[in-house]
Coordinates of all heavy atoms in Angstrom, one line a residue:
M4 N 0.8 -1.2 0.0 CA 0.0 0.0 0.0 C 0.9 1.3 -0.1 O 0.5 2.3 0.6 CB -1.0 0.0 1.2 CG -1.9 -1.2 1.4 SD -3.6 -0.7 1.4 CE -4.1 -1.0 -0.3
A5 N 2.0 1.2 -0.6 CA 2.9 2.4 -0.8 C 2.3 3.5 -1.3 O 2.5 4.7 -0.9 CB 4.1 1.9 -1.5
N6 N 1.5 3.4 -2.5 CA 0.8 4.6 -3.0 C -0.6 4.7 -2.9 O -1.3 3.6 -2.8 CB 1.2 4.5 -4.6 CG 2.5 4.5 -4.9 OD1 3.3 5.2 -4.3 ND2 2.9 3.9 -5.9
K7 N -1.2 5.8 -2.6 CA -2.5 5.9 -2.3 C -3.3 5.8 -3.6 O -2.9 6.4 -4.5 CB -2.9 7.2 -1.6 CG -4.3 7.5 -1.2 CD -4.4 8.7 -0.3 CE -5.9 8.8 0.1 NZ -6.2 9.8 0.9
K8 N -4.3 5.1 -3.7 CA -5.2 4.8 -4.8 C -6.5 5.6 -4.6 O -6.9 6.1 -3.7 CB -5.6 3.3 -5.0 CG -4.4 2.4 -5.1 CD -4.8 0.9 -4.9 CE -3.6 0.0 -5.0 NZ -3.9 -1.3 -4.8
E9 N -7.1 5.8 -5.8 CA -8.3 6.7 -5.8 C -9.5 6.0 -4.9 O -10.3 6.7 -4.5 CB -8.8 6.9 -7.2 CG -8.0 7.9 -8.1 CD -8.5 8.0 -9.6 OE1 -9.8 7.8 -9.7 OE2 -7.8 8.5 -10.3
T10 N -9.5 4.7 -4.9 CA -10.3 4.0 -4.0 C -10.1 3.9 -2.7 O -11.0 3.7 -1.9 CB -10.4 2.4 -4.6 OG1 -9.2 1.9 -4.6 CG2 -11.0 2.4 -6.1
D11 N -8.9 4.4 -2.3 CA -8.7 4.5 -0.7 C -9.5 5.6 -0.2 O -9.7 6.7 -0.7 CB -7.2 4.9 -0.5 CG -6.2 3.7 -0.7 OD1 -6.8 2.6 -0.8 OD2 -5.0 4.0 -0.7
I12 N -10.0 5.2 1.1 CA -10.8 6.2 1.8 C -10.3 6.7 3.0 O -9.8 5.7 3.7 CB -12.3 5.6 2.1 CG1 -13.1 5.2 0.8 CG2 -13.0 6.5 2.9 CD1 -14.3 4.4 1.0
D13 N -10.2 8.0 3.2 CA -9.6 8.4 4.5 C -10.6 8.2 5.6 O -11.8 8.6 5.5 CB -9.3 10.0 4.4 CG -8.1 10.2 3.5 OD1 -7.2 9.3 3.5 OD2 -8.0 11.3 3.0
I14 N -10.2 7.6 6.6 CA -11.1 7.3 7.8 C -10.5 8.1 8.9 O -9.4 8.1 9.2 CB -11.1 5.8 8.2 CG1 -11.5 4.9 7.0 CG2 -12.0 5.5 9.4 CD1 -12.9 5.1 6.6
F15 N -11.4 9.0 9.5 CA -10.9 9.6 10.6 C -11.2 8.8 11.9 O -12.5 8.4 12.2 CB -11.6 11.0 10.7 CG -11.3 11.8 9.6 CD1 -12.0 12.0 8.4 CD2 -10.1 12.6 9.6 CE1 -11.6 12.8 7.4 CE2 -9.7 13.4 8.5 CZ -10.5 13.4 7.4
V16 N -10.2 8.4 12.5 CA -10.2 7.6 13.7 C -10.8 8.3 14.9 O -10.4 9.4 15.1 CB -8.9 6.8 14.0 CG1 -8.9 6.0 15.2 CG2 -8.3 6.1 12.8
L17 N -11.6 7.7 15.7 CA -12.1 8.4 16.8 C -11.3 8.2 18.0 O -11.6 7.9 19.2 CB -13.6 7.8 17.2 CG -14.6 8.0 16.1 CD1 -15.9 7.4 16.5 CD2 -14.7 9.5 15.9
V18 N -10.0 8.3 17.8 CA -9.1 8.3 19.0 C -8.0 9.4 18.5 O -7.8 9.8 17.4 CB -8.4 7.0 19.0 CG1 -7.6 6.5 17.8 CG2 -7.6 6.8 20.3
E19 N -7.4 10.1 19.6 CA -6.4 11.0 19.2 C -5.3 10.4 18.6 O -4.7 9.4 19.0 CB -6.0 11.7 20.5 CG -7.0 12.6 21.2 CD -6.4 13.1 22.5 OE1 -5.3 13.6 22.4 OE2 -7.1 13.2 23.4
T20 N -4.8 11.0 17.5 CA -3.7 10.5 16.7 C -2.4 10.5 17.5 O -1.7 9.5 17.3 CB -3.4 11.2 15.3 OG1 -3.3 12.6 15.7 CG2 -4.6 11.1 14.4
S21 N -2.3 11.3 18.5 CA -1.0 11.1 19.3 C -1.1 9.9 20.1 O -0.1 9.2 20.4 CB -0.9 12.4 20.1 OG -2.0 12.6 21.1
K22 N -2.3 9.5 20.6 CA -2.5 8.4 21.4 C -2.2 7.1 20.6 O -1.7 6.1 20.9 CB -3.8 8.3 22.1 CG -3.9 9.3 23.3 CD -5.1 9.3 24.0 CE -5.1 10.3 25.1 NZ -6.4 10.2 25.9
L23 N -2.8 7.1 19.3 CA -2.5 6.0 18.3 C -1.2 5.9 18.2 O -0.6 4.7 18.2 CB -3.3 6.4 17.0 CG -3.4 5.4 16.0 CD1 -3.9 4.0 16.3 CD2 -3.9 6.0 14.7
A24 N -0.5 6.9 17.9 CA 1.0 6.9 17.7 C 1.7 6.2 18.9 O 2.7 5.5 18.6 CB 1.7 8.3 17.3
E25 N 1.3 6.7 20.1 CA 2.0 6.1 21.3 C 1.7 4.6 21.4 O 2.6 3.9 21.9 CB 1.5 6.8 22.4 CG 1.9 8.3 22.7 CD 1.2 8.9 23.9 OE1 0.4 8.2 24.8 OE2 1.3 10.2 23.9
K26 N 0.6 4.2 21.2 CA 0.2 2.8 21.1 C 1.0 1.9 20.0 O 1.6 0.9 20.5 CB -1.2 2.5 20.9 CG -2.1 3.0 22.1 CD -3.5 2.7 21.8 CE -4.4 3.1 22.9 NZ -5.9 2.8 22.7
I27 N 1.1 2.4 19.0 CA 2.0 1.8 17.9 C 3.4 1.8 18.4 O 4.1 0.8 18.2 CB 1.8 2.5 16.5 CG1 0.3 2.2 16.1 CG2 2.7 1.8 15.6 CD1 -0.1 2.9 14.8
Q28 N 3.8 2.9 18.8 CA 5.3 3.0 19.3 C 5.6 2.0 20.5 O 6.6 1.3 20.4 CB 5.8 4.3 19.7 CG 7.2 4.5 20.0 CD 8.0 4.3 18.6 OE1 7.9 4.9 17.7 NE2 9.0 3.2 18.8
A29 N 4.6 1.8 21.4 CA 4.7 0.9 22.3 C 4.9 -0.6 21.9 O 5.7 -1.4 22.4 CB 3.6 1.0 23.4
I30 N 4.2 -0.9 20.8 CA 4.2 -2.2 20.3 C 5.5 -2.3 19.6 O 6.1 -3.4 19.8 CB 3.0 -2.5 19.3 CG1 1.7 -2.4 20.0 CG2 3.2 -3.7 18.5 CD1 0.4 -2.3 19.2
L31 N 5.9 -1.4 18.9 CA 7.3 -1.4 18.2 C 8.4 -1.7 19.1 O 9.2 -2.6 18.9 CB 7.6 -0.2 17.4 CG 6.7 0.1 16.2 CD1 7.1 1.4 15.5 CD2 6.9 -1.0 15.1
D32 N 8.3 -1.0 20.2 CA 9.4 -1.2 21.3 C 9.3 -2.5 21.9 O 10.3 -3.2 22.1 CB 9.1 -0.1 22.4 CG 9.4 1.3 21.9 OD1 10.1 1.4 20.9 OD2 9.1 2.2 22.6
K33 N 8.2 -3.1 22.2 CA 8.0 -4.4 22.8 C 8.4 -5.4 21.8 O 9.0 -6.4 22.3 CB 6.5 -4.6 23.1 CG 6.3 -5.8 24.1 CD 5.0 -5.5 24.9 CE 5.0 -6.6 25.9 NZ 4.6 -6.1 27.2
K34 N 8.2 -5.3 20.6 CA 8.8 -6.3 19.6 C 10.2 -6.0 19.0 O 10.7 -6.8 18.2 CB 7.7 -6.3 18.4 CG 6.3 -6.8 18.8 CD 5.4 -6.9 17.5 CE 4.2 -7.5 17.9 NZ 4.2 -8.9 17.6
F35 N 10.8 -4.9 19.5 CA 12.1 -4.6 19.1 C 12.1 -4.3 17.5 O 13.1 -4.6 16.8 CB 13.1 -5.5 19.5 CG 13.3 -5.8 20.9 CD1 12.7 -7.0 21.5 CD2 13.9 -4.9 21.8 CE1 12.8 -7.2 22.9 CE2 13.9 -5.0 23.2 CZ 13.3 -6.2 23.7
Y36 N 11.0 -3.6 17.1 CA 11.1 -3.3 15.7 C 11.3 -1.8 15.5 O 11.1 -1.0 16.4 CB 9.6 -3.4 15.1 CG 9.2 -4.9 15.0 CD1 7.8 -5.1 14.5 CD2 9.9 -6.0 15.2 CE1 7.3 -6.3 14.2 CE2 9.4 -7.2 15.0 CZ 8.1 -7.4 14.6 OH 7.6 -8.7 14.5
N37 N 12.0 -1.5 14.5 CA 12.2 0.0 14.2 C 11.3 0.3 12.9 O 10.6 -0.4 12.4 CB 13.7 0.3 13.9 CG 14.2 -0.4 12.7 OD1 13.6 -0.9 11.8 ND2 15.5 -0.7 12.7
R38 N 11.3 1.7 12.6 CA 10.4 2.2 11.6 C 10.7 1.6 10.3 O 9.8 1.3 9.6 CB 10.5 3.8 11.6 CG 9.9 4.4 12.9 CD 10.1 5.9 12.7 NE 9.6 6.5 14.0 CZ 9.2 7.7 14.2 NH1 9.2 8.6 13.0 NH2 8.6 8.1 15.3
P39 N 11.9 1.5 9.9 CA 12.2 0.9 8.5 C 11.8 -0.5 8.4 O 11.2 -0.9 7.4 CB 13.7 1.1 8.2 CG 14.0 2.2 9.2 CD 13.3 2.1 10.4
Y40 N 11.9 -1.2 9.5 CA 11.4 -2.6 9.5 C 10.0 -2.8 9.3 O 9.3 -3.5 8.6 CB 11.9 -3.4 10.7 CG 11.5 -4.9 10.7 CD1 12.1 -5.9 9.7 CD2 10.5 -5.3 11.6 CE1 11.7 -7.1 9.8 CE2 10.2 -6.7 11.5 CZ 10.8 -7.5 10.6 OH 10.4 -8.9 10.6
L41 N 9.2 -1.8 10.1 CA 7.8 -1.8 10.0 C 7.4 -1.4 8.7 O 6.3 -2.1 8.0 CB 7.2 -0.8 11.1 CG 5.7 -0.7 11.0 CD1 4.9 -2.0 11.2 CD2 5.2 0.4 12.1
A42 N 8.0 -0.4 8.0 CA 7.5 -0.1 6.7 C 7.8 -1.2 5.6 O 6.9 -1.6 4.9 CB 8.5 1.0 6.1
R43 N 8.9 -2.0 5.9 CA 9.2 -3.1 5.0 C 8.1 -4.3 5.1 O 7.6 -4.8 4.2 CB 10.5 -3.7 5.2 CG 11.0 -4.7 4.3 CD 12.5 -5.1 4.3 NE 12.8 -5.3 5.7 CZ 13.5 -6.2 6.2 NH1 13.9 -7.1 5.5 NH2 13.9 -6.3 7.4
I44 N 7.8 -4.6 6.3 CA 6.9 -5.7 6.7 C 5.5 -5.4 6.4 O 4.6 -6.3 6.1 CB 7.1 -6.5 8.1 CG1 6.8 -5.4 9.2 CG2 8.5 -6.9 8.2 CD1 6.8 -6.1 10.5
S45 N 5.1 -4.2 6.4 CA 3.7 -3.7 6.2 C 3.5 -3.3 4.8 O 2.3 -3.2 4.5 CB 3.4 -2.6 7.1 OG 4.1 -1.4 6.8
G46 N 4.5 -3.0 4.1 CA 4.3 -2.6 2.7 C 3.8 -1.1 2.6 O 3.4 -0.7 1.6
V47 N 4.1 -0.5 3.6 CA 3.7 1.1 3.7 C 5.1 1.8 3.7 O 6.1 1.5 4.2 CB 3.0 1.3 5.1 CG1 2.7 2.7 5.4 CG2 1.6 0.6 5.3
S48 N 4.9 3.0 3.0 CA 6.2 3.6 2.9 C 6.7 4.2 4.2 O 6.1 4.5 5.2 CB 6.0 4.9 1.9 OG 5.4 6.0 2.6
I49 N 8.1 4.4 4.2 CA 8.8 4.9 5.5 C 8.3 6.3 5.8 O 8.0 6.8 6.9 CB 10.2 5.0 5.5 CG1 10.9 5.3 6.7 CG2 10.7 5.9 4.3 CD1 10.7 4.2 7.8
N50 N 7.9 7.1 4.8 CA 7.3 8.4 5.2 C 5.9 8.4 5.7 O 5.6 9.1 6.6 CB 7.2 9.2 3.8 CG 8.5 9.7 3.3 OD1 9.4 9.9 4.1 ND2 8.6 10.1 2.1
T51 N 5.1 7.4 5.3 CA 3.8 7.1 6.0 C 3.9 6.6 7.4 O 3.3 7.1 8.3 CB 3.0 6.2 5.1 OG1 2.8 6.7 3.8 CG2 1.6 5.9 5.7
I52 N 4.9 5.8 7.6 CA 5.1 5.3 8.9 C 5.6 6.5 9.7 O 5.2 6.6 11.0 CB 6.3 4.2 9.0 CG1 5.7 2.9 8.2 CG2 6.6 3.8 10.4 CD1 4.4 2.3 8.8
H53 N 6.5 7.3 9.4 CA 7.0 8.4 10.0 C 5.7 9.3 10.4 O 5.7 9.8 11.6 CB 8.0 9.2 9.2 CG 8.5 10.4 9.8 ND1 9.5 10.5 10.8 CD2 8.2 11.7 9.5 CE1 9.6 11.7 11.3 NE2 9.0 12.5 10.5
N54 N 5.0 9.6 9.4 CA 3.8 10.5 9.6 C 2.8 10.0 10.7 O 2.4 10.7 11.6 CB 3.0 10.9 8.3 CG 3.8 11.6 7.4 OD1 4.7 12.4 7.8 ND2 3.4 11.5 6.1
L55 N 2.5 8.7 10.6 CA 1.8 7.9 11.6 C 2.2 8.1 12.9 O 1.5 8.3 14.0 CB 1.6 6.4 11.2 CG 0.9 5.5 12.1 CD1 -0.5 5.8 12.2 CD2 1.0 4.1 11.5
L56 N 3.6 7.8 13.1 CA 4.1 7.8 14.4 C 4.3 9.2 14.9 O 4.8 9.5 16.1 CB 5.6 7.1 14.4 CG 5.2 5.6 14.3 CD1 6.6 4.8 14.1 CD2 4.5 4.9 15.4
N57 N 4.2 10.2 14.1 CA 4.3 11.7 14.5 C 2.9 12.2 14.8 O 2.8 13.5 14.6 CB 5.1 12.4 13.6 CG 6.6 12.1 13.8 OD1 7.1 12.3 14.8 ND2 7.3 11.8 12.6
G58 N 1.8 11.5 14.7 CA 0.5 11.9 15.0 C -0.4 12.4 13.9 O -1.4 13.0 14.1
R59 N 0.1 12.1 12.7 CA -0.8 12.5 11.5 C -1.8 11.4 11.3 O -1.6 10.3 11.6 CB 0.0 12.8 10.3 CG 1.0 13.9 10.4 CD 1.3 14.6 9.2 NE 2.1 15.7 9.4 CZ 3.3 15.8 8.8 NH1 3.8 14.9 8.0 NH2 4.1 17.0 9.0
N60 N -3.0 11.9 10.8 CA -4.1 11.0 10.5 C -3.7 9.9 9.5 O -3.5 10.3 8.3 CB -5.3 11.7 9.9 CG -6.3 12.0 11.1 OD1 -6.3 11.4 12.1 ND2 -7.3 12.9 10.8
P61 N -3.8 8.7 9.8 CA -3.6 7.6 8.7 C -4.9 7.3 8.1 O -5.9 7.6 8.4 CB -3.1 6.4 9.7 CG -4.0 6.7 10.9 CD -4.1 8.1 11.1
T62 N -4.7 6.7 6.9 CA -5.9 6.0 6.1 C -6.2 4.9 6.8 O -5.5 4.1 7.6 CB -5.7 5.8 4.7 OG1 -4.6 4.8 4.5 CG2 -5.2 7.1 4.0
F63 N -7.4 4.3 6.6 CA -7.9 3.0 7.0 C -6.9 1.8 6.6 O -6.6 1.0 7.2 CB -9.4 2.7 6.9 CG -9.8 1.5 7.4 CD1 -10.0 1.5 8.8 CD2 -10.3 0.5 6.6 CE1 -10.7 0.3 9.3 CE2 -10.9 -0.6 7.1 CZ -11.0 -0.8 8.5
A64 N -6.7 2.1 5.3 CA -5.7 1.0 4.6 C -4.4 1.0 5.3 O -3.9 -0.2 5.5 CB -5.7 1.4 3.0
T65 N -3.9 2.1 5.6 CA -2.7 2.1 6.3 C -2.6 1.4 7.7 O -1.8 0.6 8.0 CB -2.1 3.5 6.5 OG1 -1.8 4.0 5.3 CG2 -0.9 3.6 7.3
L66 N -3.8 1.7 8.4 CA -3.9 1.1 9.7 C -4.1 -0.5 9.6 O -3.4 -1.2 10.4 CB -5.2 1.6 10.5 CG -5.0 3.0 11.1 CD1 -6.4 3.5 11.6 CD2 -3.8 3.1 12.1
L67 N -4.7 -0.9 8.6 CA -4.9 -2.3 8.3 C -3.6 -3.1 8.1 O -3.2 -4.1 8.6 CB -5.9 -2.6 7.2 CG -7.3 -2.3 7.5 CD1 -8.2 -2.7 6.3 CD2 -7.8 -3.2 8.7
C68 N -2.8 -2.4 7.2 CA -1.4 -3.0 6.9 C -0.6 -2.9 8.1 O 0.2 -4.0 8.3 CB -0.9 -2.0 5.8 SG -1.5 -2.3 4.2
V69 N -0.5 -2.0 8.9 CA 0.3 -1.8 10.0 C -0.1 -2.9 11.1 O 0.8 -3.5 11.7 CB 0.3 -0.4 10.6 CG1 1.0 -0.3 12.0 CG2 1.0 0.5 9.6
T70 N -1.5 -2.9 11.4 CA -1.9 -3.8 12.4 C -1.6 -5.3 11.9 O -1.2 -6.2 12.8 CB -3.4 -3.7 12.7 OG1 -4.2 -3.7 11.6 CG2 -3.6 -2.3 13.4
K71 N -1.8 -5.6 10.7 CA -1.4 -6.9 10.1 C 0.1 -7.2 10.3 O 0.4 -8.3 10.9 CB -1.9 -7.1 8.7 CG -1.7 -8.4 8.2 CD -2.2 -8.5 6.8 CE -2.0 -10.1 6.3 NZ -2.4 -10.1 4.9
A72 N 0.9 -6.3 10.1 CA 2.3 -6.6 10.1 C 2.7 -6.7 11.6 O 3.7 -7.4 12.0 CB 3.0 -5.4 9.6
L73 N 2.1 -6.0 12.6 CA 2.4 -6.0 14.0 C 1.6 -7.2 14.7 O 1.9 -7.5 15.8 CB 2.0 -4.7 14.6 CG 2.8 -3.6 14.2 CD1 2.3 -2.2 14.9 CD2 4.2 -3.7 14.5
D74 N 0.8 -7.9 13.9 CA 0.0 -9.0 14.5 C -0.8 -8.6 15.7 O -0.8 -9.2 16.7 CB 0.9 -10.1 14.7 CG 0.2 -11.4 15.1 OD1 -0.9 -11.6 14.4 OD2 0.6 -12.3 15.9
V75 N -1.5 -7.4 15.4 CA -2.4 -7.0 16.6 C -3.8 -6.7 15.9 O -3.8 -6.5 14.7 CB -1.9 -5.8 17.3 CG1 -0.7 -6.0 18.0 CG2 -1.8 -4.5 16.4
Q76 N -4.9 -6.7 16.6 CA -6.1 -6.4 16.1 C -6.4 -4.9 16.0 O -5.8 -4.2 17.0 CB -7.2 -7.1 17.1 CG -7.2 -8.5 17.2 CD -7.5 -9.1 15.8 OE1 -8.5 -8.8 15.1 NE2 -6.9 -10.2 15.5
L77 N -7.0 -4.4 15.1 CA -7.2 -3.1 14.9 C -7.8 -2.3 16.1 O -7.5 -1.2 16.6 CB -8.0 -2.7 13.7 CG -8.3 -1.2 13.2 CD1 -7.1 -0.5 13.1 CD2 -9.2 -1.2 12.0
Y78 N -8.8 -3.1 16.7 CA -9.5 -2.4 17.9 C -8.6 -2.1 19.0 O -8.8 -1.3 19.9 CB -10.7 -3.4 18.3 CG -10.3 -4.6 19.1 CD1 -10.0 -4.6 20.4 CD2 -10.0 -5.9 18.4 CE1 -9.7 -5.9 21.2 CE2 -9.7 -6.9 19.1 CZ -9.6 -6.9 20.4 OH -9.1 -8.1 21.0
T79 N -7.4 -2.9 19.1 CA -6.5 -2.7 20.2 C -5.9 -1.4 20.1 O -5.6 -0.8 21.1 CB -5.4 -3.7 20.0 OG1 -5.8 -5.0 20.1 CG2 -4.4 -3.6 21.3
L80 N -5.8 -0.8 19.0 CA -5.3 0.6 18.7 C -6.3 1.7 18.9 O -6.1 2.8 19.2 CB -4.7 0.8 17.4 CG -3.5 -0.2 17.1 CD1 -3.0 0.1 15.7 CD2 -2.4 -0.1 18.2
L81 N -7.6 1.2 18.8 CA -8.6 2.3 18.6 C -9.4 2.5 19.9 O -10.1 3.5 20.0 CB -9.6 2.0 17.5 CG -8.9 1.9 16.1 CD1 -10.0 1.6 15.0 CD2 -8.3 3.1 15.7
I82 N -9.4 1.5 20.8 CA -10.2 1.7 22.0 C -9.5 2.4 23.1 O -8.3 2.6 23.0 CB -10.8 0.4 22.5 CG1 -9.7 -0.6 22.7 CG2 -11.8 -0.2 21.6 CD1 -10.1 -1.9 23.2
D83 N -10.1 2.8 24.2 CA -9.6 3.7 25.2 C -8.4 3.1 26.0 O -7.9 2.0 25.7 CB -10.6 3.9 26.3 CG -11.5 5.1 25.9 OD1 -11.2 5.9 25.2 OD2 -12.6 5.2 26.7
S84 N -7.9 3.8 26.9 CA -6.7 3.5 27.5 C -6.7 2.3 28.3 O -5.8 1.6 28.7 CB -6.2 4.7 28.6 OG -7.3 4.9 29.5
K85 N -8.0 1.8 28.7 CA -8.1 0.6 29.4 C -7.7 -0.7 28.5 O -7.2 -1.7 29.0 CB -9.7 0.3 29.9 CG -10.0 1.1 30.8 CD -11.4 1.0 31.1 CE -11.9 2.0 32.3 NZ -13.3 1.7 32.7
S86 N -7.7 -0.3 27.2 CA -7.2 -1.3 26.3 C -5.6 -1.5 26.3 O -5.1 -2.4 25.8 CB -7.6 -1.0 24.8 OG -6.9 0.1 24.4
N87 N -5.0 -0.6 27.0 CA -3.4 -0.7 27.1 C -3.1 -1.9 27.8 O -2.0 -2.5 27.6 CB -2.9 0.4 27.8 CG -3.0 1.8 26.8 OD1 -3.1 1.5 25.6 ND2 -2.9 3.0 27.4
E88 N -4.0 -2.6 28.6 CA -3.7 -3.8 29.4 C -3.5 -4.8 28.2 O -2.6 -5.7 28.5 CB -4.9 -4.3 30.1 CG -5.1 -3.2 31.2 CD -6.4 -3.6 32.1 OE1 -7.1 -4.6 31.8 OE2 -6.8 -2.6 32.9
K89 N -4.1 -4.7 27.1 CA -3.9 -5.7 26.1 C -2.4 -5.6 25.6 O -2.0 -6.7 25.0 CB -4.9 -5.6 25.0 CG -6.3 -5.9 25.4 CD -7.2 -5.9 24.2 CE -8.7 -6.3 24.6 NZ -8.8 -7.6 24.8
L90 N -1.9 -4.5 25.6 CA -0.5 -4.3 25.0 C 0.5 -5.1 25.8 O 1.5 -5.6 25.3 CB 0.0 -2.9 25.1 CG -0.8 -2.0 24.0 CD1 -0.3 -0.4 24.3 CD2 -0.6 -2.3 22.7
N91 N 0.2 -5.4 27.0 CA 1.1 -6.2 28.0 C 1.1 -7.6 27.5 O 2.1 -8.3 28.0 CB 0.6 -6.1 29.5 CG 0.7 -4.6 29.9 OD1 1.7 -3.8 29.4 ND2 -0.1 -4.1 30.7
N92 N 0.1 -8.0 26.8 CA 0.0 -9.4 26.5 C 0.7 -9.7 25.0 O 0.7 -10.9 24.5 CB -1.5 -9.8 26.5 CG -2.0 -9.9 27.8 OD1 -1.3 -10.1 28.8 ND2 -3.3 -9.7 27.9
I93 N 1.3 -8.7 24.4 CA 1.7 -8.9 23.2 C 3.2 -9.3 23.2 O 3.9 -8.9 24.1 CB 1.8 -7.4 22.3 CG1 0.4 -7.1 22.1 CG2 2.6 -7.6 21.1 CD1 0.2 -5.6 21.5
T94 N 3.4 -10.4 22.5 CA 4.8 -11.0 22.5 C 5.7 -10.6 21.3 O 5.3 -10.1 20.4 CB 4.6 -12.6 22.5 OG1 3.9 -12.9 21.3 CG2 4.0 -13.1 23.7

């Protein structure tokens, strides 16, 4: 999903993008992944990963690619801070 297609739809996530970025960064840290590695395994450009982790609004397609690469469910990133308990169970 390196290039945005006309059929891609921007989805505005009902979570602060800074919190979304924090959750993704926590998963990266827990798995010892860096940004270039996430870009490679997700098929998302490094610039998109950089933007995502700096709090910019991702597309739904980007979120799907990233969650699949990280082997987490999308809802884990989108629900409230109580969901952070789920981050502790990630291996």
Side-chain angles (χ1 to χ4, degrees):
M4 301 241 103
N6 294 327
K7 187 172 180 176
K8 300 174 186 171
E9 287 182 24
T10 56
D11 285 348
I12 299 173
D13 287 334
I14 302 294
F15 294 98
V16 179
L17 299 176
V18 65
E19 290 180 44
T20 52
S21 62
K22 290 184 181 182
L23 179 65
E25 288 173 13
K26 288 180 181 184
I27 294 170
Q28 188 61 59
I30 295 167
L31 290 175
D32 293 345
K33 193 155 194 139
K34 291 180 175 271
F35 301 103
Y36 291 176
N37 60 26
R38 291 176 183 204
Y40 183 70
L41 178 58
R43 186 170 45 131
I44 65 171
S45 67
V47 174
S48 76
I49 187 69
N50 286 337
T51 300
I52 297 297
H53 177 75
N54 289 337
L55 173 62
L56 293 174
N57 284 309
R59 297 215 176 118
N60 259 346
T62 64
F63 187 67
T65 296
L66 285 178
L67 288 178
C68 289
V69 168
T70 56
K71 184 176 180 183
L73 293 174
D74 194 31
V75 296
Q76 297 293 320
L77 181 58
Y78 74 87
T79 305
L80 300 177
L81 302 181
I82 54 180
D83 272 343
S84 60
K85 291 181 182 179
S86 69
N87 285 339
E88 295 171 9
K89 293 188 180 286
L90 291 177
N91 295 327
N92 297 327
I93 295 173
T94 56

